[in-house]
Amino acid sequence: MPTDAERACFEAGIKFGSLYHQFAGTPVSPDSAASLGRAMEEAIENQPYCVDVAVDVRTDRIADELASQSAEYTELTGRFLDVEMLIEYEGVTVRTRMEMAGDYPLMKLVAVEE
């Protein structure tokens, strides 16, 4: 049987998978970034054991992307997101973060507190 800490970490992974794969490819522009970030937060916070989600849709990176193309929007990818989550399961708190590691959006455990 998994420990409560292992289960809390599993729940964090489920939340990240859901967040990333549900919203990847969504059309986004600097004007729509804030509302998309709030929608992502609210959607994931509906899931069990999720206490808090903070999504920063990086408008600076979106603007850089748009500067090299003629369209007024681009597709959401991990390079446009900074995400932090707080998961609580049976007295265990898991803090997570997604940020770019080079050119890869890395999802990682920051802390597991029992």
Side-chain angles (χ1 to χ4, degrees):
M1 291 297 297
T3 66
D4 288 343
E6 290 169 333
R7 178 68 190 267
C9 291
F10 171 80
E11 290 294 337
I14 293 297
K15 278 40 163 185
F16 264 127
S18 177
L19 180 140
Y20 191 86
H21 293 291
Q22 179 177 350
F23 291 97
T26 300
V28 65
S29 71
D31 292 339
S32 67
S35 63
L36 179 58
R38 284 190 305 277
M40 294 171 77
E41 291 168 352
E42 291 175 9
I44 302 308
E45 285 174 349
N46 283 324
Q47 295 186 30
Y49 316 114
C50 188
V51 175
D52 189 45
V53 179
V55 176
D56 179 19
V57 182
R58 300 286 305 270
T59 56
D60 57 330
R61 293 179 183 164
I62 294 170
D64 289 347
E65 174 92 5
L66 294 178
S68 65
Q69 62 187 42
S70 60
E72 295 181 13
Y73 72 94
T74 189
E75 294 180 1
L76 185 69
T77 68
R79 71 182 178 276
F80 302 130
L81 299 174
D82 291 332
V83 180
E84 293 184 0
M85 282 193 234
L86 181 65
I87 308 300
E88 291 182 355
Y89 178 82
E90 299 295 325
V92 177
T93 300
V94 174
R95 297 179 191 283
T96 64
R97 179 180 305 127
M98 183 178 84
E99 57 191 14
M100 292 303 291
D103 62 352
Y104 185 78
L106 183 64
M107 301 167 197
K108 62 183 179 180
L109 290 171
V110 174
V112 179
E113 302 159 353
E114 295 188 58

